[in-house]
Amino acid sequence: CRTGQVHISIQARHKLGLPMSQDTLPLQAFIELFEPQARDALQQVLEQTRDDGGARLCYFSRLLPGASRPTAYLAHIRRLTDVHGQALEIRGTLQDITSQQHDLEEFKRQSQQMQAVLQCMPQGICVIDDQLRLQLWNDSFLEVVALEREEVYKDAPYEELLRLMGERGEFGKVGELTKEELEQEVIRRRDRALDLDSCRFERPRRRTHLVKS
């Protein structure tokens, strides 16, 4: 901090594609190693850490010599002080997260493709994870279960969706079930889903839908 020099470990030099002899760089030269869109954010994180001492995470990327795509990094940055609380230096550890970022991008791409496929299917389909939370659905699903768009969202609990459906007559005519009976039916259907059980029933509304879960 006081000298304006960045001391770079052997491991960091290797990750950044720097010559092994280059163990220090002026702060500005170090910042300019990274992609232009990340430089201002890195500068801001360093200044904030210097001023308030808070530990921070910073994401940035660098195009290594001979590479066709940037390498992504995650830095853990913190401030070291002397016994009087004066800043001595800012220390950071560097992690190459290119592989994890690629996996995340691939997952997002596949999710978008899956969503596009679902929207083209006439059947009402939803995908619920092992925690019984809604992950994917199509417009036909909303029509089948008679739910509004604003009532359905990612990570919505399956139990909450069942309760909404029950309140609108999914488990019998509206008013036929008491509040306690409705809650019992919600729990029963939730437990069947937890057991990976399957059910099959018909429900008439504007037209008859065969529903399988």
Side-chain angles (χ1 to χ4, degrees), residues 65-154:
S68 59
R69 56 180 297 174
T71 298
Y73 302 97
L74 169 64
H76 300 254
I77 299 173
R78 61 191 179 94
R79 186 184 73 178
L80 298 182
T81 60
D82 60 20
V83 293
H84 303 293
Q86 297 298 312
L88 289 174
E89 63 182 22
I90 295 176
R91 184 168 296 182
T93 58
L94 199 64
Q95 181 183 356
D96 184 341
I97 59 169
T98 306
S99 177
Q100 296 95 314
Q101 188 178 65
H102 174 74
D103 291 344
L104 179 60
E105 290 172 353
E106 180 64 19
F107 175 76
K108 288 181 178 178
R109 185 183 67 82
Q110 291 181 3
S111 295
Q112 290 170 349
Q113 290 177 340
M114 175 65 75
Q115 188 67 57
V117 171
L118 287 179
Q119 290 295 357
C120 293
M121 299 181 72
Q123 298 89 352
I125 297 174
C126 71
V127 177
I128 295 174
D129 66 16
D130 59 354
Q131 300 299 313
L132 293 189
R133 292 187 176 276
L134 185 66
Q135 297 303 316
L136 293 171
W137 64 94
N138 61 4
D139 289 343
S140 296
F141 169 73
L142 301 181
E143 182 182 355
V144 168
V145 297
L147 292 176
E148 302 296 331
R149 286 181 181 274
E150 58 270 19
E151 294 173 325
V152 179
Y153 56 92
K154 190 176 186 304

Side-chain angles (χ1 to χ4, degrees), residues 12 40 55 90 131 135 139 143 157 166 172 179 187 192 205 212:
D40 288 344
I90 295 176
Q131 300 299 313
Q135 297 303 316
D139 289 343
E143 182 182 355
K179 185 174 293 186
I187 293 172
R192 290 185 68 178
R205 200 165 288 264
K212 182 177 180 182

